[in-house]
Amino acid sequence: MNKAHKTLLFPLVALLVGAYFLFSGLAEAKGFLAPLVTAIILALLLIPLGNLIEKKLNRTFSSLLSTILLFLFSIGVFVLLSFQIKSFVDDWGKIKEAMAPKIEQLQNYAYEHTALSSKDLETYKEKNDIQSMLTSSGNSGEKAFNFINSVTSFISNYLLTFIYIFFLLNYRKRFKIFILKLFSNQRKKEVKQIINETARVAQFYLRGKLILIVILSIHSIGLGISGVSNFILIAVIASFLTLIPFIGNIIGMSLALIFGYLTQGETSILIGVILTFTLVQFIESYVLEPFIVGDKVGLHPFFVILAIILGNMIWGVMGMILAIPVLGIINVIFNHVPSLKPFGFLLSTDNSNED
């Protein structure tokens, strides 16, 4: 191996090893970092509201009121979803009965057009039934413990996020001064610009997405007209899935298609679902998003997809939702640090420097 190869190989290996330990560490620290990063992003979103309330109240009360308003909004969403889920559970018997012939049709189609046979399916069912009986009889206590542990963990992280939001809002000036103190007087103006632009990116993106979620409740009108059962629940889920770019819309439409076919089985419903999501996607991409969200994040679609996949691998669904605002913030920093500007150009949609 010559000297040039060694010069290239060692930094590359160091980069790969460093990236591996970085992402492994982020995955291991999910319980601590996920609520904190979520709180930071949401606190940035609430800064304009906090500044508005501060005209009447002091910072502590304005931060507390902003946090409470966001908390009540999230509770309202949970209540809406819980009512819709309860309605779905109450109707499950009818839904299951309606789904049975459609599932049978799909099975028959699979038998005719694939190497599968009814015997294979029965054998598979028997094995799974025996295995589930053994595991349920032996691990029922463990499953109950895991369920209680998961619920407790979710509630504690949920409440902890809002506690973080309050302190981040209340002491935001102190945090800003701390960051500025890390740099020389000559660079303070540039650092202040980076901080302000970072906050602006998160605010425009998340505020725009929340407005889109509300507006995209028109899903429910189209799905209701199409005849999809529990259309409000599916519409709400589909609207919130738009927080995950590209993938969210595909999951939402697939959910509506599966539900529409299995519960009703009419071709008109499938056509209605496809037309609804196509129209909503067109309105979102070409009418609402440019005006409401705008190009404030300005990330290249390829790196958006990579960030979503990586976010899912590290923190699951929460990682997918946080991936875009976090990458947008990182891109702002890249574009203001001379040595990192090439990475900023690579991540962004700016074509001005292309030949």
Side-chain angles (χ1 to χ4, degrees):
M1 186 181 292
N2 57 39
K3 191 175 180 181
H5 285 164
K6 283 183 180 179
T7 306
L8 288 172
L9 182 62
F10 290 135
L12 182 62
V13 171
L15 180 66
L16 291 173
V17 172
Y20 172 77
F21 282 108
L22 171 65
F23 293 125
S24 297
L26 288 173
E28 286 295 322
K30 178 184 175 182
F32 170 71
L33 287 177
L36 181 59
V37 174
T38 304
I40 291 170
I41 299 297
L42 291 175
L44 290 172
L45 174 66
L46 289 174
I47 286 174
L49 177 62
N51 290 336
L52 187 66
I53 298 172
E54 272 183 44
K55 293 177 181 179
K56 302 289 182 181
L57 302 169
N58 63 37
R59 175 154 293 184
T60 301
F61 282 108
S62 71
S63 301
L64 183 61
L65 185 56
S66 300
T67 306
I68 289 171
L69 287 173
L70 182 63
F71 178 75
L72 291 175
F73 173 77
S74 67
I75 291 293
V77 172
F78 280 129
V79 168
L80 175 64
L81 283 174
S82 64
F83 274 121
Q84 291 302 311
I85 291 168
K86 183 181 180 300
S87 173
F88 172 75
V89 171
D90 291 341
D91 295 339
W92 176 243
K94 293 177 184 176
I95 294 169
K96 193 176 179 182
E97 191 177 337
M99 285 167 61
K102 308 307 170 190
I103 293 171
E104 191 176 341
Q105 285 178 12
L106 288 172
Q107 286 177 353
N108 292 333
Y109 182 85
Y111 297 151
E112 290 174 10
H113 295 85
T114 66
L116 286 173
S117 66
S118 57
K119 205 173 198 179
D120 295 329
L121 187 62
E122 284 172 14
T123 307
Y124 176 77
K125 278 182 179 178
E126 283 175 9
K127 282 182 179 179
N128 275 310
D129 287 341
I130 293 167
Q131 195 171 11
S132 62
M133 282 174 65
L134 290 171
T135 53
S136 62
S137 60
N139 300 325
S140 56
E142 186 182 345
K143 284 182 180 178
F145 175 78
N146 288 336
F147 174 75
I148 293 168
N149 189 44
S150 299
V151 172
T152 306
S153 177
F154 171 78
I155 293 172
S156 61
N157 284 334
Y158 176 71
L159 295 175
L160 195 60
T161 300
F162 287 97
I163 294 169
Y164 286 154
I165 290 170
F166 166 72
F167 282 110
L168 288 166
L169 285 173
N170 195 35
Y171 296 106
R172 61 184 183 272
K173 189 174 182 181
R174 190 177 188 85
F175 291 127
K176 187 175 181 178
I177 293 169
F178 163 73
I179 294 169
L180 290 172
K181 281 182 176 290
L182 295 173
F183 298 89
S184 62
N185 291 328
Q186 292 80 6
R187 300 202 62 188
K188 278 184 180 178
K189 186 177 179 182
E190 187 183 357
V191 173
K192 194 179 288 186
Q193 185 184 349
I194 294 172
I195 293 169
N196 293 335
E197 194 171 332
T198 295
R200 217 164 27 242
V201 165
Q203 288 162 13
F204 272 96
Y205 178 77
L206 287 177
R207 188 172 61 196
K209 280 295 182 182
L210 287 174
I211 294 169
L212 279 177
I213 286 170
V214 174
I215 295 173
L216 291 178
S217 59
I218 58 173
H219 274 112
S220 61
I221 300 170
L223 294 178
I225 294 169
S226 301
V228 177
S229 61
N230 295 97
F231 60 91
I232 295 176
L233 176 63
I234 295 171
V236 170
I237 293 171
S239 298
F240 274 95
L241 282 170
T242 58
L243 285 170
I244 307 170
F246 309 119
I247 299 169
N249 288 318
I250 295 169
I251 296 170
M253 188 172 74
S254 302
L255 185 66
L257 284 171
I258 292 166
F259 229 84
Y261 176 75
L262 290 179
T263 56
Q264 306 293 330
E266 295 176 13
T267 309
S268 59
I269 290 177
L270 299 183
I271 294 169
V273 169
I274 292 168
L275 287 175
T276 297
F277 274 87
T278 303
L279 179 62
V280 167
Q281 182 63 43
F282 176 82
I283 293 170
E284 180 191 351
S285 300
Y286 297 100
V287 180
L288 298 175
E289 189 137 357
F291 292 101
I292 296 174
V293 179
D295 59 350
K296 299 297 178 183
V297 180
L299 294 171
H300 196 282
F302 174 68
F303 293 101
V304 167
I305 293 169
L306 288 182
I308 291 167
I309 294 168
L310 191 60
N312 180 54
M313 290 173 65
I314 296 172
W315 289 349
V317 176
M318 184 55 68
M320 294 172 78
I321 294 170
L322 293 173
I324 309 308
V326 169
L327 189 63
I329 288 169
I330 292 170
N331 193 37
V332 168
I333 297 168
F334 282 171
N335 284 320
H336 284 82
V337 178
S339 59
L340 297 175
K341 278 188 177 181
F343 294 100
F345 169 75
L346 186 65
L347 291 176
S348 69
T349 53
D350 180 22
N351 298 321
S352 58
N353 295 323
E354 288 187 3
D355 293 328

